[in-house]
Amino acid sequence: VQVIESGGGLVQAGGSLRLSCTSSGRADGNYVMGWFRQAPGKEREFVAAVTWKNGNTFYADSVKGRFTISLEDGKSTGALQMNTLKPEDTAVYYCAAGYGLRFPNRPYEYNYWGQGTQVTVSS
């Protein structure tokens, strides 16, 4: 399964970016897409996840109300809409895909990862 992110870039604080994730994995009831990020010198952290089966979404407290994760109908590709960006959102953002996850917020649950896309928010 190949996972590819796109859409990163440089934006001013308060601005928006939309990240896209293209996955070659099958779209079925067990599919989960997640987004994680890693800032320099920090561990990779959970951002958001969505389940294909019923569209349940999960968010880190730090992005609730600002970020929205979505899947395209019937597909394994999706996006992360990021609004009201803050300098502390600066990181490399990774899309991940997995099947039958128990804990969508834990990176070790995912089998497939993209290469990452840089998001930089200037103050």
Side-chain angles (χ1 to χ4, degrees), residues 44-56:
R44 190 168 298 191
E45 66 173 359
F46 171 74
V47 176
V50 59
T51 63
W52 190 93
K53 183 176 182 179
N54 48 23
N56 282 348

Side-chain angles (χ1 to χ4, degrees), residues 24-44:
S24 63
R26 68 186 186 279
D28 66 21
N30 293 319
Y31 180 78
V32 178
M33 183 181 76
W35 285 93
F36 294 78
R37 65 187 183 187
Q38 189 167 16
K42 295 187 177 181
E43 293 186 354
R44 190 168 298 191

Side-chain angles (χ1 to χ4, degrees), residues 22 35 40 47 55 65-66 102:
T22 301
W35 285 93
V47 176
R66 300 188 298 122
R102 290 187 61 193

Side-chain angles (χ1 to χ4, degrees), residues 4 13-14 21-22 33 40 51 54 66 69 76 80 88 99 114 123:
I4 301 175
C21 180
T22 301
M33 183 181 76
T51 63
N54 48 23
R66 300 188 298 122
I69 189 171
S76 59
L80 181 70
E88 51 263 44
Y99 295 87
S123 58

